[in-house]
Amino acid sequence: MLMRRAVSLRHVVAPPRRAYAAGISPPAKRQKVPSLPKHDTTPPKDDAKPSAPRLAYLITGTFGVGLGFYTLQLYLSATKPCHNPQIAELSQQKDVAARYDNTASSFDSDVGLSELLMGINGIRKKLAQQCHGDVLEVSCGTGRNLGYYNLDRKDGALKTLSLNDLSPQMVEVCRQKWETLYGNGIKSGKLRPDLKVRFMTGSALGPMPLAPSGKKYDTIFQTMGICSTAEPLELLGNMVKHLDTSKAESRILLLEHGRSYLPWMNRVLDNAAEKHAEQHGCWFNRDIGQLVQDAAEKTGMEVVRERRHHLGTTWVFELKPLEETVRRVNGGSILANDEVDKAAHDGGWLSRLGWK
């Protein structure tokens, strides 16, 4: 029994003793190594703004979806038969001009985005830049053309500006917009001290005040007004009455929306015309070209420029007095333009006296 314990004890103690005898240290007791803090391998949250490519894809996708939805709605409207073929006739269109009294405060926000996308603002600017002399803007509305007139102190072509509309609420918004744009214009030197601007409320179907100079107007400008009156021919005729037709350079400038040259587009306009008139106060399915041409023939005017945009639904006109009209107003005392050119080519009045 003792022998077995000695043997077993010897086997237990022998390895360390042999290791000591060999000069080798016994294995050290393993020490616990402190663990290093673990790093967070989860990606950080992306709180920054979307990158440029992602933003471009987002905008493009949104625009594509919107365009597709609009195209689908347009197709569905175009394939519907016209439920009231006579709705384009003036006799079938009631007077909705009073609608603007209720929409004056929201009008700019209602039409602003659509006009921006359609490029209407650029057309407004081009027409407003053509205005010269004593200017009358008929159906001025909320003053959506105010920022486009050439009112520069040195090079401004306008002498006076008179703005007229049937709706007092629209005229008030126009006045406030002028104050915002040009309130301190004269004091700051941006506007001429002699520039006179008037805001007038009244119907453009009857007598309107003369220009501040006491004369008729050199330019009459109107945007989206023929569609809003119950008597478009009378409105055009009354504008001619207030234009100085004794001058060949006098002009009437018009920006309107009306019927297209595409039959399917006209079906869309006719089907939506009544609802649109109730909401926005204008009939956008009128044959504006025919109305302007008829008025010009009756009043001694000439259409010198006609442009159409947006599938023919946006119309731009420039009218001037016929030479016969200018001669008649002046009592036949002036030469027509072609006669003036011919006289200048022939050497003028001196050539008739023998001078060469």
Side-chain angles (χ1 to χ4, degrees), residues 220-337:
I220 296 181
F221 183 27
Q222 180 182 258
T223 58
M224 313 301 180
I226 298 178
C227 61
S228 304
T229 179
E231 302 176 275
L233 284 173
E234 289 76 4
L235 176 61
L236 289 166
N238 200 43
M239 283 193 281
V240 176
K241 290 180 182 179
H242 291 79
L243 185 72
D244 189 354
T245 53
S246 67
K247 301 177 182 178
E249 62 272 16
S250 295
R251 291 292 185 273
I252 292 179
L253 305 173
L254 303 173
L255 170 60
E256 302 290 341
H257 54 190
R259 297 190 74 75
S260 170
Y261 42 67
L262 299 173
W264 66 265
M265 188 64 193
N266 288 332
R267 285 197 300 272
V268 174
L269 296 177
D270 289 340
N271 284 331
E274 192 167 5
K275 183 177 179 180
H276 182 86
E278 291 287 348
Q279 292 180 345
H280 302 288
C282 70
W283 294 94
F284 61 3
N285 65 331
R286 290 178 174 175
D287 190 346
I288 300 297
Q290 190 62 53
L291 289 171
V292 172
Q293 188 61 47
D294 291 346
E297 293 176 358
K298 292 180 180 180
T299 57
M301 298 291 290
E302 175 186 4
V303 178
V304 295
R305 183 165 66 100
E306 176 183 329
R307 295 288 185 273
R308 300 179 73 173
H309 309 271
H310 310 123
L311 303 180
T313 60
T314 301
W315 301 67
V316 179
F317 295 95
E318 178 183 346
L319 293 85
K320 72 172 186 178
L322 289 169
E323 293 178 350
E324 293 81 359
T325 302
V326 176
R327 187 186 298 110
R328 184 182 69 252
V329 173
N330 287 280
S333 60
I334 66 170
L335 294 173
N337 290 340

Side-chain angles (χ1 to χ4, degrees), residues 100-101 103-105 107 137-144 146 162-179 197-203:
Y100 290 105
D101 294 344
T103 61
S105 59
F107 185 80
E137 183 176 342
V138 178
S139 303
C140 66
T142 59
R144 295 189 62 80
L146 285 182
S162 301
L163 300 116
N164 181 81
D165 198 276
L166 179 64
S167 171
Q169 290 81 359
M170 299 290 267
V171 173
E172 182 57 30
V173 174
C174 181
R175 188 196 308 273
Q176 294 174 5
K177 189 176 295 184
W178 173 268
E179 291 296 329
V197 180
R198 300 183 302 175
F199 301 89
M200 307 180 297
T201 301
S203 174

Side-chain angles (χ1 to χ4, degrees), residues 17-34:
R17 186 180 295 174
R18 286 198 298 268
Y20 178 78
I24 301 175
S25 301
K29 187 178 180 180
R30 178 179 295 180
Q31 296 181 355
K32 187 177 181 179
V33 179

